[in-house]
Amino acid sequence: ARFWQLGRPVGAICHGVRGEGGAIAPSLNDIPRLTTDFLVSRVRGGKNAMPPMGLCNDCTDAEMKQIIEFMTK
């Protein structure tokens, strides 16, 4: 249940439900395949307009991995 509470609003707001991109964030599907661990570290640190931790300040690494893996299938 927590995955759906986190995954849909957290990553989908900016990157789209399946990582297809949106008005404020790029597609996650058009980039070379990056490791989930790298993407977790990028989310933790933020990048450009994405704030550190995205929109999930209390997410664990395991929760972030689950969200990222769902969005980049």
Side-chain angles (χ1 to χ4, degrees):
R2 181 152 160 82
F3 169 73
W4 289 110
Q5 291 170 351
L6 296 173
R8 288 195 182 241
V10 173
I13 287 171
C14 299
H15 292 284
V17 174
R18 288 294 187 177
E20 68 273 10
I24 58 174
S27 169
L28 300 175
N29 301 320
D30 295 338
I31 56 175
R33 189 70 183 148
L34 301 171
T35 68
T36 303
D37 288 335
F38 173 82
L39 293 171
V40 167
S41 72
R42 180 58 55 92
V43 171
R44 282 212 169 281
K47 175 75 175 172
N48 297 328
M50 183 177 71
M53 298 298 289
L55 297 174
C56 189
N57 292 323
D58 65 341
C59 282
T60 65
D61 284 356
E63 289 169 331
M64 278 194 232
K65 284 181 182 184
Q66 191 177 23
I67 293 165
I68 289 166
E69 287 169 356
F70 174 81
M71 290 179 64
T72 57
K73 280 184 187 176

